[in-house]
Amino acid sequence: MSFLPSGNTSFNPTTFLLTGFPGLEYAHRWISLPFCFIYMTVFLGNCTILHVIRTEASLHAPMYYFLAMLALTDLGLCLSTLPTVLGIYWFDSREIHFNACFTQLFFIHSLSLVESSVLLSMAFDRFVAICHPLRYGSILTSQRILRMGLAFVSRSFVLIFPLPFLLRRFQYCRTNVLSHSYCLHLEIMKLACSDIIVNHIYGLTVVAFTVGTDSLLILVSYVLILKTVLGIASKEGRLKAFNTCVSHICAVLLFYVPMIGLSLIHRFGERAPHMVHILMSYVYLLAPPLMNPIVYSIKTKQIRQRIHKRLEISCLCAPLRHLGLFPFLPLSSGGLTLWKPPDRDPEKVLLKRHRHLSAGRTVLFTLRGFPGMESAHCWIGVPIFSTYLFAVLGNCTILYIIWTEPGLHQPMYYFLAMLATTDLGLCLTTAPTVMGVLWFQLRKISRRNCLTQIFIIHTFSFMESAVLFAMALDRFLAICFPLRYATLLTTSRVARIGLVLLLRSTLLLIPCLYFLLQFPYCPVAVLSHAYCIHQDVIRLACANTTITSYYGLTLILLTMGADLFFIFVSYSLILKTVLGMSSGDEGHRKALGTCVSHLCAVLVFYVPVLGLSVAHRFGRHASPLLHVMMGNIYILLPPLMNPVIYSIRTRQIYSRILRIVSLKRV
């Protein structure tokens, strides 16, 4: 039986050719940036887990020994693929020697089987801890755990060891190009021109004997755990028992789902787009090592506490504040002060300012997450972090496309770039405190840092309002004065407009900071959100805030109010011009179609702003959860939705994104 196509000759290649993202070779340097970040995060996360377990005597328990095995396996997987993945994206080094490819294949598959075995052992650990708690210490001794680890490694290495030799005996076709940036058994096997039935049978047998058996036994373990837990009398006890299994269940899903997906695509997805194969391979390769440390750091209280103590977050935050970077990072977690500003004698400060402030003046504000849901903060942080991630990725994509496409070097897209930059600024300003509250319980923030965050947040908010007005002006000139559009909005004039808008937003906020610095604050200074805004802080002042309130209202009217009014005027004139066109309904639709994206962006920005302002000024008796939800919508909705809106509604950007992800050739 031969699989050699007619007209092809077989040969024994000395090298295989690896593949990055085909068709995107010119962007490989840019694509390498997220890969570098992911690999760095993987190494940092797993090394942190290993360091904490090694140095903390209280974590020298079976559960954490197995977790250390998992971290070691994830590190090995990343080290096995790192040279070829980054070699392609950094140095365009696609060739890999025959023997090197088989060696990489051996380690990737061996470590994958080890990870499956470790997940089974962790399920067994949970089964013994919940179903036989009195015998837990005697069943899972340190020596027995060590023998289990050696057995897992031996089983995996022995079963994978024949694969390189089975592949070596094949004849290969002229096309020796692999689909991924690393070597896998299924992929190399497809390049063979010989009978591969033995490899197929052996590969399926190994998978069934290892991954299949492990997953079946994990399922049986959790069935028995569920049976035991449901027999516990108290609801609190059942929840506590289940909660010890959540991290492991997440790790199981992170490992098995990408593995099954990649196997199905290799065996049955020959007609699927090549990009699907590539993306699935990277999910399979990087998702478990990246997410396992995050899952266990968030959900395991002991590890989270040790990370806080061992890494001394204050040592990381204090230098950043000293340099003026991210001055709004939180200061403390619970009762543990992680970093404090230099001590200052309050009396000297009072003498210098010639003011007498009440003895109850506070140094720190307390941020708030989701009141009443503190136990679920870790899980709530996952979608919020994903939203931040998508917002940053989306706006960076918009900026990259506008920067690299000469056809988009026009006023409309320059203003869109300003909008994307503003949204990025908003995300980067609030992300440290929001995620600090949700994931690390870092709720304290100094008054100085809080006011710095207020200044930056409101500056970007006013800037976004101004940019939306500038975009309305752009649409007005393009539709009402098309012949003069290019002469009215030159590149230099657009740059000057952006500079003026930035200066307006910055200078008008300086008096607000001055007023807030003068106030004494109440002893219990709890904010309504996980970040600082003017309306929230001013309510905590133990002084007459009438002038500040009036100034704030005047400022909003002169900026956002005026911007919104001029946007309305612009669209009134646009509508009048469009209705006066003689080109019929098609011309009307085409002209108004260029405004749809901007109208959506205006609504996405102004509706949350108005809602949050109303909630702060008239919703004192409303549920705190309402304030929190409105605050999160205000900071996250525009940065998240603007890239989506402009990517879908703007043909040039949509087409370029399709080219970048290779979903469609333009």
Side-chain angles (χ1 to χ4, degrees):
M1 182 177 180
S2 176
F3 288 86
L4 179 62
S6 60
N8 280 0
T9 60
S10 61
F11 74 113
N12 288 318
T14 58
T15 60
F16 289 110
L17 292 179
L18 302 170
T19 302
F21 284 86
L24 293 173
E25 288 78 8
Y26 65 93
H28 272 181
R29 296 291 176 83
W30 291 101
I31 294 172
S32 71
L33 296 179
F35 279 101
C36 290
F37 175 76
I38 291 172
Y39 274 115
M40 288 172 60
T41 306
V42 167
F43 290 131
L44 179 62
N46 286 286
C47 288
T48 300
I49 293 289
L50 290 171
H51 173 73
V52 170
I53 293 174
R54 184 180 70 85
T55 56
E56 284 293 332
S58 61
L59 299 184
H60 293 175
M63 173 182 173
Y64 301 106
Y65 289 145
F66 290 127
L67 178 57
M69 293 181 193
L70 188 68
L72 281 171
T73 307
D74 287 335
L75 281 174
L77 271 172
C78 283
L79 288 172
S80 300
T81 57
L82 175 67
T84 53
V85 172
L86 294 186
I88 288 175
Y89 296 125
W90 278 356
F91 309 110
D92 196 28
S93 176
R94 295 185 59 198
E95 290 190 355
I96 182 170
H97 193 270
F98 193 85
N99 294 327
C101 186
F102 288 159
T103 303
Q104 186 183 50
L105 174 152
F106 172 77
F107 281 107
I108 289 176
H109 289 294
S110 296
L111 291 170
S112 294
L113 296 188
V114 170
E115 183 149 355
S116 177
S117 302
V118 172
L119 290 173
L120 170 61
S121 66
M122 296 174 84
F124 178 68
D125 169 84
R126 291 298 85 207
F127 165 72
V128 175
I130 293 174
C131 300
H132 304 283
L134 299 179
R135 300 175 58 195
Y136 180 70
S138 60
I139 293 175
L140 289 175
T141 61
S142 299
Q143 294 82 1
R144 190 164 290 166
I145 291 170
L146 179 60
R147 288 197 294 269
M148 288 171 67
L150 291 174
F152 298 152
V153 174
S154 300
R155 181 190 78 161
S156 303
F157 279 21
V158 168
L159 290 174
I160 297 299
F161 188 73
L163 288 182
F165 297 97
L166 290 173
L167 292 172
R168 184 184 291 276
R169 66 189 178 88
F170 289 146
Q171 299 290 319
Y172 291 91
C173 298
R174 287 292 181 189
T175 303
N176 61 337
V177 180
L178 303 177
S179 301
H180 308 302
S181 54
Y182 52 90
C183 300
L184 293 175
H185 172 254
L186 281 172
E187 193 173 7
I188 295 176
M189 190 172 60
K190 288 181 179 180
L191 301 180
C193 302
S194 309
D195 186 353
I196 58 175
I197 189 66
V198 174
N199 281 61
H200 264 303
I201 294 174
Y202 184 77
L204 287 172
T205 303
V206 169
V207 171
F209 181 68
T210 55
V211 177
T213 304
D214 293 344
S215 58
L216 178 63
L217 292 176
I218 289 171
L219 179 62
V220 171
S221 299
Y222 274 105
V223 170
L224 297 174
I225 289 171
L226 186 62
K227 180 182 177 182
T228 302
V229 169
L230 292 178
I232 298 175
S234 68
K235 180 180 178 182
E236 184 180 349
R238 291 195 295 271
L239 291 175
K240 186 176 180 180
F242 271 131
N243 195 47
T244 63
C245 303
V246 171
S247 301
H248 178 253
I249 292 173
C250 292
V252 168
L253 294 175
L254 284 168
F255 176 74
Y256 284 105
V257 172
M259 174 180 278
I260 293 171
L262 186 63
S263 299
L264 291 175
I265 285 176
H266 269 293
R267 294 189 183 278
F268 309 109
E270 292 185 359
R271 296 183 180 180
H274 187 52
M275 183 61 67
V276 175
H277 289 258
I278 295 173
L279 292 177
M280 277 304 301
S281 72
Y282 285 126
V283 172
Y284 159 70
L285 170 72
L286 295 174
L290 175 66
M291 294 305 299
N292 284 339
I294 296 175
V295 169
Y296 277 94
S297 298
I298 292 173
K299 285 301 297 175
T300 308
K301 180 181 178 182
Q302 296 89 331
I303 292 178
R304 187 171 66 244
Q305 290 176 342
R306 297 311 186 280
I307 288 175
H308 282 173
K309 188 170 70 173
R310 288 285 172 180
L311 295 184
E312 295 179 357
I313 296 175
S314 59
C315 294
L316 299 176
C317 297
L320 293 177
R321 292 192 193 91
H322 181 69
L323 294 172
L325 301 174
F326 297 109
F328 39 81
L329 284 168
L331 294 175
S332 68
S333 174
L336 174 66
T337 300
L338 301 175
W339 180 81
K340 294 188 293 186
D343 291 331
R344 295 178 181 177
D345 185 354
E347 297 299 328
K348 292 181 180 179
V349 176
L350 297 180
L351 290 173
K352 288 181 180 179
R353 295 187 179 178
H354 302 283
R355 293 200 57 179
H356 177 72
L357 303 179
S358 64
R361 180 172 181 172
T362 59
V363 176
L364 301 178
F365 291 109
T366 301
L367 301 169
R368 176 182 285 180
F370 287 78
M373 304 175 69
E374 287 78 8
S375 60
H377 270 182
C378 292
W379 294 106
I380 294 171
V382 174
I384 291 182
F385 176 75
S386 300
T387 303
Y388 274 116
L389 197 62
F390 283 122
V392 171
L393 179 62
N395 285 287
C396 286
T397 302
I398 293 291
L399 290 171
Y400 173 75
I401 290 173
I402 294 173
W403 179 49
T404 56
E405 277 291 323
L408 300 183
H409 294 175
Q410 301 174 20
M412 172 183 173
Y413 300 106
Y414 290 145
F415 289 127
L416 178 56
M418 294 180 194
L419 188 68
T421 304
T422 304
D423 285 336
L424 276 175
L426 270 173
C427 286
L428 295 176
T429 304
T430 57
T433 52
V434 172
M435 301 315 303
V437 169
L438 295 178
W439 277 359
F440 304 107
Q441 290 81 51
L442 302 175
R443 297 185 60 197
K444 299 296 184 182
I445 185 171
S446 73
R447 188 180 61 154
R448 183 189 64 180
N449 299 339
C450 185
L451 296 185
T452 303
Q453 190 179 45
I454 286 175
F455 178 75
I456 298 174
I457 288 176
H458 288 296
T459 295
F460 280 124
S461 294
F462 290 160
M463 183 67 184
E464 183 148 354
S465 174
V467 171
L468 289 172
F469 164 55
M471 296 174 83
L473 176 65
D474 170 85
R475 291 299 82 208
F476 166 70
L477 294 176
I479 294 173
C480 300
F481 303 97
L483 299 180
R484 300 176 58 194
Y485 177 71
T487 58
L488 290 173
L489 285 179
T490 61
T491 303
S492 59
R493 190 165 291 170
V494 170
R496 286 198 295 271
I497 290 174
L499 183 60
V500 169
L501 298 180
L502 179 61
L503 289 174
R504 184 196 76 162
S505 304
T506 304
L507 295 177
L508 289 176
L509 278 169
I510 292 176
C512 281
L513 287 184
Y514 175 77
F515 291 139
L516 292 175
L517 278 170
Q518 306 308 307
F519 291 141
Y521 291 94
C522 300
V524 182
V526 181
L527 302 174
S528 302
H529 309 295
Y531 54 90
C532 301
I533 56 175
H534 178 263
Q535 305 98 301
D536 204 10
V537 172
I538 199 174
R539 290 189 297 107
L540 302 177
C542 297
N544 187 351
T545 61
T546 304
I547 295 177
T548 308
S549 297
Y550 280 127
Y551 182 80
L553 284 173
T554 304
L555 190 59
I556 290 174
L557 290 175
L558 290 177
T559 54
M560 294 185 178
D563 293 338
L564 188 59
F565 173 74
F566 285 122
I567 290 171
F568 177 76
V569 171
S570 298
Y571 275 105
S572 299
L573 297 173
I574 288 172
L575 187 61
K576 178 182 177 182
T577 302
V578 169
L579 294 178
M581 291 180 178
S582 58
S583 53
D585 292 342
E586 184 178 351
H588 295 168
R589 283 196 298 270
K590 186 176 180 181
L592 292 176
T594 63
C595 303
V596 172
S597 301
H598 179 253
L599 286 172
C600 292
V602 169
L603 292 175
V604 163
F605 175 74
Y606 281 104
V607 171
V609 167
L610 293 174
L612 184 65
S613 299
V614 170
H616 270 289
R617 297 194 180 277
F618 307 109
R620 290 178 178 269
H621 302 292
S623 168
L625 194 59
L626 174 65
H627 289 265
V628 172
M629 294 300 296
M630 285 301 303
N632 285 313
I633 291 173
Y634 161 66
I635 62 169
L636 291 174
L637 188 64
L640 176 67
M641 292 305 300
N642 285 338
V644 176
I645 291 168
Y646 278 94
S647 298
I648 293 173
R649 291 293 308 172
T650 307
R651 182 174 57 85
Q652 296 89 332
I653 295 177
Y654 179 69
S655 301
R656 181 61 196 275
I657 289 176
L658 289 183
R659 283 165 52 193
I660 287 179
V661 298
S662 291
L663 295 177
K664 182 179 179 181
R665 298 285 181 182
V666 177

